[in-house]
Amino acid sequence: GNSVTQMEGPVTLSEEAFLTINCTYTATGYPSLFWYVQYPGEGLQLLLKATKADDKGSNKGFEATYRKETTSFHLEKGSVQVSDSAVYFCALSDLRNQGGKLIFGQGTELSVKP
Amino acid sequence: GAGVSQSPSNKVTEKGKDVELRCDPISGHTALYWYRQSLGQGLEFLIYFQGNSAPDKSGLPSDRFSAERTGGSVSTLTIQRTQQEDSAVYLCASRGGRDSSYEQYFGPGTRLTVT
């Protein structure tokens, strides 16, 4: 079945450091890929998405590129801020074949220190 | 407009009792999903409703779990004879029509504690 594996946390960075959170997936069909973020005390929010191979999703300075050849969707940000401290979830869904239910990675907690 | 709402926000129950969790999706959204977020299992899909189609129940962990969606809108997730391992945050999400964006909008969740 479909699955998502992401880098284990917690990850601790200093402000303005470069961030990479690795995410790889296993899927049949043509999944869409997502990064969701959960800020402390808040609900899940969509951060960015990519619906086909080679698409790049971007939002709030974060980027991720859908790489079919490496089955990856790594999240990157050039310069993190304290306000980026949150838990990040990589996810996939196959709207055409599985109704769009999200399959999540285990989450990566990011802590950014001033 | 209003987002996805869930009630109650917190529920503490004794082992063996039944509980009902409610989800009000975004008005007009035809797809509704339930997920569970727990320390041991991460974020897991439970059940999915799309319009009038039969729900996809493939993620329900046991027959103690059931859900219904009345009138294509509000959904209730019922857990019978609760166990301590049912303690988790239960999340509801909704999505627009079949041809809309893939984005699911999540509610704030119901934190269930079974004592």
Side-chain angles (χ1 to χ4, degrees):
Chain A
N2 295 348
S3 66
V4 175
T5 302
Q6 65 181 99
M7 184 170 127
E8 288 195 22
V11 173
T12 302
L13 296 173
S14 297
E15 208 164 20
E16 300 183 2
F18 184 85
L19 169 71
T20 300
I21 301 178
N22 289 338
C23 172
T24 57
Y25 68 91
T26 302
T28 56
Y30 303 92
S32 296
L33 301 174
F34 305 84
W35 279 98
Y36 277 83
V37 59
Q38 190 171 36
Y39 297 103
E42 297 186 16
L44 270 174
Q45 304 173 27
L46 178 66
L47 179 60
L48 53 86
K49 69 182 181 190
T51 58
K52 62 183 187 298
D54 300 324
D55 270 2
K56 178 187 281 188
S58 61
N59 186 26
K60 299 182 181 179
F62 290 89
E63 292 183 340
T65 301
Y66 188 158
R67 302 278 188 208
K68 195 168 183 182
E69 64 275 15
T70 54
T71 62
S72 66
F73 193 55
H74 305 321
L75 182 68
E76 296 182 337
K77 186 173 185 181
S79 175
V80 293
Q81 306 299 311
V82 172
S83 57
D84 294 326
S85 298
V87 181
Y88 292 82
F89 294 92
C90 186
L92 70 79
S93 79
D94 186 346
L95 186 63
R96 197 179 307 176
N97 296 313
Q98 296 186 354
K101 65 186 180 188
L102 287 162
I103 307 297
F104 288 93
Q106 59 269 49
T108 302
E109 182 177 2
L110 171 67
S111 179
V112 180
K113 306 297 185 186
Chain B
V4 178
S5 61
Q6 294 185 244
S7 60
S9 55
N10 280 285
K11 176 72 176 177
V12 180
T13 191
E14 291 180 352
K15 178 181 171 181
K17 302 280 190 185
D18 297 352
V19 295
E20 285 190 351
L21 313 179
R22 177 187 167 108
C23 171
D24 282 273
I26 293 172
S27 177
H29 277 192
T30 57
L32 187 148
Y33 305 80
W34 284 97
Y35 298 88
R36 178 169 72 171
Q37 185 173 21
S38 58
L39 278 176
Q41 302 296 323
L43 268 160
E44 308 170 272
F45 163 78
L46 296 177
I47 187 168
Y48 156 60
F49 297 89
Q50 173 65 58
N52 296 320
S53 303
D56 176 355
K57 304 180 184 179
S58 60
L60 294 178
S62 78
D63 58 9
R64 296 186 295 104
F65 288 72
S66 63
E68 62 178 21
R69 188 177 185 193
T70 53
S73 181
V74 171
S75 177
T76 303
L77 177 70
T78 301
I79 309 173
Q80 296 179 309
R81 305 181 302 281
T82 52
Q83 304 295 312
Q84 287 187 330
E85 62 262 28
D86 300 334
S87 295
V89 177
Y90 289 82
L91 297 171
C92 176
S94 71
R95 179 174 57 80
R98 289 183 186 273
D99 297 325
S100 75
S101 130
Y102 294 95
E103 181 172 356
Q104 293 181 26
Y105 296 83
F106 281 82
T110 294
R111 182 175 296 278
L112 175 66
T113 304
V114 181
T115 60

